[in-house]
Amino acid sequence: MQLISSRCAEDSMNLTVRYDKTGAQPPEPHKNTGGNTMNFLPQYDEVKRIADTGRYKALPVSCEILSDICTPIEALKILKNVSTHCYMLESVAEKEKWGRYTFLGYDPKLEITCINGELKAGDIRIKTEDPDAYLRQVLEEYRSPRFDYLPPFTGGLVGYFSYDYLAYSEPSVKMDVQDDDQFKDIDLMLFDKVIAFDNFRQKIVLIVNMPLEDPETGYNKAVMELKQMARLLRSGEKKHEPGGHLTGEVTPLFDKEAYCSMVEKARNYIREGDIFQIVLSNRLSAPFEGSLLNTYRILIPTTVSA
């Protein structure tokens, strides 16, 4: 899965912020049900200062809650009950070590797809040979500062680029072949809300990206949405996920004879110096009914790339 963040890595802010006594004040800290204070960062005076520079069009406002209220899988079930489009991204840092963060998001602001040069972004329909230019334009509209206390991803585009996407930058590799699967060249969604499980600190970092045109209105709205996200994770109803099962035989895309023939051709190409590496795969498929999320739960102890 490919992930793009609209944050700019070269911009960095310090965690420590101070109030300007002459500036507007942020909302009072909200007491959660566990007795802990929800502290919203950055505070309003810092938001106003950043907005006045004119360098950014958006800014991530965040708060933290304890992660013992639910697991990432439980959180995803809650999100699936309130949004038809949501995601969960997990990773490993090194050999057999879990990554620090698990990212979740829901309710995207925009869906972007492209197939055979036909790009769709919300109500926009355009023909293009350079979808990358449009994606960069979208990210520029959500360019935001980086804060050292936040996870590496604070919002942006989440989805995938297919192998066929390479043909937009390297037309020579474009092949006119039958496409039975109809995968889109690009399938991305723009998320301005992020739920990040910090597996090291045992905290959940809630993030809402606010526009900077009207800092005071945007900040108050972001704080309200953060409180709503916290309530949703604490008391939201989980979507029922039915058990899954195969309804037919598992079959390979190529039989043994065809696949071995491909391997032999690849070896000959390497010997002739035409290529130096190739990855041949043979997809296994089977008809299935039920919840793929439950399938993921079964696979995840074995491989995090499931």
Side-chain angles (χ1 to χ4, degrees), residues 35 219 296:
Y219 189 80
Y296 175 80

Side-chain angles (χ1 to χ4, degrees), residues 122-135:
D123 295 330
I124 298 175
R125 304 287 189 274
I126 59 174
K127 182 73 175 179
T128 180
E129 294 300 323
D130 186 16
D132 184 66
Y134 181 80
L135 296 179

Side-chain angles (χ1 to χ4, degrees), residues 28-34 36 38 40 63-66 69-70 74-75 78-79 81-82 106 193 195 204-208 220-238:
E28 289 294 322
H30 171 69
K31 294 287 186 178
N32 64 27
T33 56
N36 298 318
M38 292 181 68
F40 304 99
C63 68
E64 293 183 349
I65 59 177
L66 295 176
I69 60 173
C70 65
E74 289 173 330
I78 293 172
L79 298 183
N81 213 31
V82 298
Y106 66 107
K193 294 188 287 289
I195 299 169
I204 301 175
V205 184
L206 306 178
I207 303 169
V208 171
N220 289 333
K221 182 179 179 182
V223 168
M224 179 185 67
E225 290 182 343
L226 287 169
K227 293 178 181 179
Q228 291 173 345
M229 290 168 68
R231 286 196 296 269
L232 179 65
L233 291 180
R234 291 191 183 100
S235 58
E237 183 179 352
K238 301 178 184 67

Side-chain angles (χ1 to χ4, degrees), residues 34-289:
N36 298 318
T37 300
M38 292 181 68
N39 295 314
F40 304 99
L41 294 175
Q43 296 178 343
Y44 177 75
D45 58 340
E46 184 72 0
V47 172
K48 184 66 167 60
R49 185 191 67 78
I50 293 172
D52 289 343
T53 67
R55 295 181 60 190
Y56 306 103
K57 299 181 179 181
L59 181 144
V61 182
S62 66
C63 68
E64 293 183 349
I65 59 177
L66 295 176
S67 64
D68 59 358
I69 60 173
C70 65
T71 67
I73 289 290
E74 289 173 330
L76 184 59
K77 289 182 179 180
I78 293 172
L79 298 183
K80 290 184 69 176
N81 213 31
V82 298
S83 176
T84 57
H85 294 81
C86 47
Y87 72 88
M88 181 173 72
L89 297 175
E90 294 188 298
S91 63
V92 289
E94 296 177 5
K95 294 180 180 178
E96 299 181 356
K97 291 183 180 180
W98 286 95
R100 176 171 176 176
Y101 295 104
T102 299
F103 296 99
L104 298 98
Y106 66 107
D107 193 21
K109 292 180 66 68
L110 182 68
E111 183 174 0
I112 303 173
T113 63
C114 186
I115 184 167
N116 298 326
E118 296 285 344
L119 188 144
K120 299 179 181 179
D123 295 330
I124 298 175
R125 304 287 189 274
I126 59 174
K127 182 73 175 179
T128 180
E129 294 300 323
D130 186 16
D132 184 66
Y134 181 80
L135 296 179
R136 292 182 181 278
Q137 179 182 338
V138 170
L139 292 176
E140 180 62 25
E141 289 297 314
Y142 290 88
R143 186 171 183 262
S144 61
R146 177 177 181 178
F147 295 92
D148 291 340
Y149 54 85
L150 286 180
F153 180 66
T154 59
L157 295 172
V158 178
Y160 74 81
F161 295 90
S162 73
Y163 286 111
D164 292 334
Y165 184 74
L166 178 62
Y168 290 102
S169 57
E170 294 289 344
S172 61
V173 303
K174 189 172 184 178
M175 295 181 292
D176 185 17
V177 295
Q178 182 176 343
D179 183 6
D180 296 326
D181 298 312
Q182 292 295 307
F183 279 107
K184 298 178 177 67
D185 301 331
I186 301 172
D187 197 344
L188 302 168
M189 289 178 285
L190 178 65
F191 291 90
D192 63 344
K193 294 188 287 289
V194 175
I195 299 169
F197 279 75
D198 187 332
N199 302 311
F200 177 72
R201 296 175 57 240
Q202 297 296 297
K203 295 288 186 68
I204 301 175
V205 184
L206 306 178
I207 303 169
V208 171
N209 284 271
M210 57 165 282
L212 290 176
E213 295 90 347
D214 182 348
E216 184 174 2
T217 300
Y219 189 80
N220 289 333
K221 182 179 179 182
V223 168
M224 179 185 67
E225 290 182 343
L226 287 169
K227 293 178 181 179
Q228 291 173 345
M229 290 168 68
R231 286 196 296 269
L232 179 65
L233 291 180
R234 291 191 183 100
S235 58
E237 183 179 352
K238 301 178 184 67
K239 183 177 180 181
H240 173 66
E241 298 289 337
H245 63 278
L246 299 180
T247 60
E249 295 294 325
V250 177
T251 57
L253 182 61
F254 305 103
D255 61 25
K256 181 178 180 179
E257 181 179 355
Y259 185 72
C260 289
S261 175
M262 293 165 56
V263 172
E264 190 58 38
K265 287 182 180 179
R267 295 176 63 184
N268 288 333
Y269 285 135
I270 293 173
R271 282 193 291 265
E272 295 296 325
D274 295 327
I275 61 175
F276 67 90
Q277 181 179 343
I278 188 170
V279 179
L280 295 174
S281 63
N282 193 10
R283 186 183 65 203
L284 302 176
S285 61
F288 176 87
E289 288 183 356

Side-chain angles (χ1 to χ4, degrees), residues 289-300:
E289 288 183 356
S291 170
L292 287 175
L293 178 58
N294 281 331
T295 303
Y296 175 80
R297 291 176 58 220
I298 300 300
L299 292 176
I300 198 64

